[in-house]
């Protein structure tokens, strides 16, 4: 598989926009249900940090090859959130979240899928940049 540079740049922007969707799901940090079901990771501060990570992805979009180690950090960050999501699902009942708030339920249903997809994307980009540097 070989993805061209323009598509990779667009991938970074999409990753940032997906992280920005926390504003919608949290109703601009006014939805208490998200934090109620994971007060450590998904507090309003945690959601704000997700937004900041999204800005970081967008800021690296056009220069990702120059910040290869940062791209590696992005992959690790997505891996961590993906693992946290799986752990959350193993220890919680998503229907309880939907009963309290549909937007929060949707958020918990999809955020980990997004993180796993972008873990693969950032890992691919990181490996590609490392390989291209060796040539």
């Amino acid at each position: 598989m070989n993805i061209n540079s323009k598509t990779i740049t667009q991938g970074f922007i999409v990753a940032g926009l997906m992280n920005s969707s926390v504003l919608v799901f949290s109703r601009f940090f006014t939805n208490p249900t998200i934090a109620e079901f994971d007060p450590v990771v998904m507090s309003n501060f945690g959601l704000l940090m997700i937004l900041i990570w999204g800005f970081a992805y967008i800021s690296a979009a056009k220069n990702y090859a120059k910040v290869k180690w940062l791209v590696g950090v992005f992959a690790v960050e997505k891996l961590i959130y993906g693992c946290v999501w799986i752990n959350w699902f193993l220890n919680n009942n998503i229907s309880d979240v939907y009963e309290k708030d549909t937007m929060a339920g949707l958020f918990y249903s999809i955020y980990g899928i997004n993180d796993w997809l972008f873990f693969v994307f950032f890992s691919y980009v990181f490996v590609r940049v490392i390989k291209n540097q060796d040539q």
Side-chain angles (χ1 to χ4, degrees):
M1 176 171 72
N2 193 14
I3 303 172
N4 69 41
S5 294
K6 182 180 178 185
T7 302
I8 290 174
T9 294
Q10 291 170 341
F12 276 82
I13 294 168
V14 169
L17 293 174
M18 291 299 289
N19 271 42
S20 299
S21 73
V22 300
L23 293 173
V24 174
F25 291 107
S26 71
R27 295 184 188 96
F28 288 84
F29 308 114
T30 64
N31 184 347
T33 306
I34 292 174
E36 177 185 335
F37 283 89
D38 192 346
V40 174
V41 179
M42 296 303 168
S43 65
N44 279 344
F45 177 78
L47 295 174
L48 176 63
M49 291 301 99
I50 291 170
L51 183 63
I52 297 301
W53 277 109
F55 294 157
Y57 308 149
I58 293 169
S59 73
K62 291 190 178 186
N63 297 303
Y64 64 86
K66 295 178 183 174
V67 291
K68 64 179 179 266
W69 295 109
L70 181 59
V71 176
V73 169
F74 292 164
V76 171
E77 179 259 344
K78 287 299 188 183
L79 172 65
I80 291 167
Y81 274 97
C83 289
V84 166
W85 179 72
I86 287 173
N87 186 57
W88 187 91
F89 256 90
L90 292 174
N91 294 293
N92 292 276
N93 185 348
I94 190 68
S95 62
D96 293 343
V97 184
Y98 275 102
E99 282 180 29
K100 284 203 90 166
D101 184 81
T102 301
M103 292 297 280
L106 287 169
F107 174 78
Y108 277 102
S109 294
I110 64 173
Y111 95 78
I113 296 167
N114 176 72
D115 289 325
W116 283 112
L117 289 172
F118 283 104
F119 162 70
V120 171
F121 170 75
F122 289 134
S123 296
Y124 166 82
V125 174
F126 178 70
V127 170
R128 176 180 157 156
V129 171
I130 293 292
K131 281 186 177 181
N132 286 344
Q133 182 183 28
D134 293 339
Q135 295 177 1

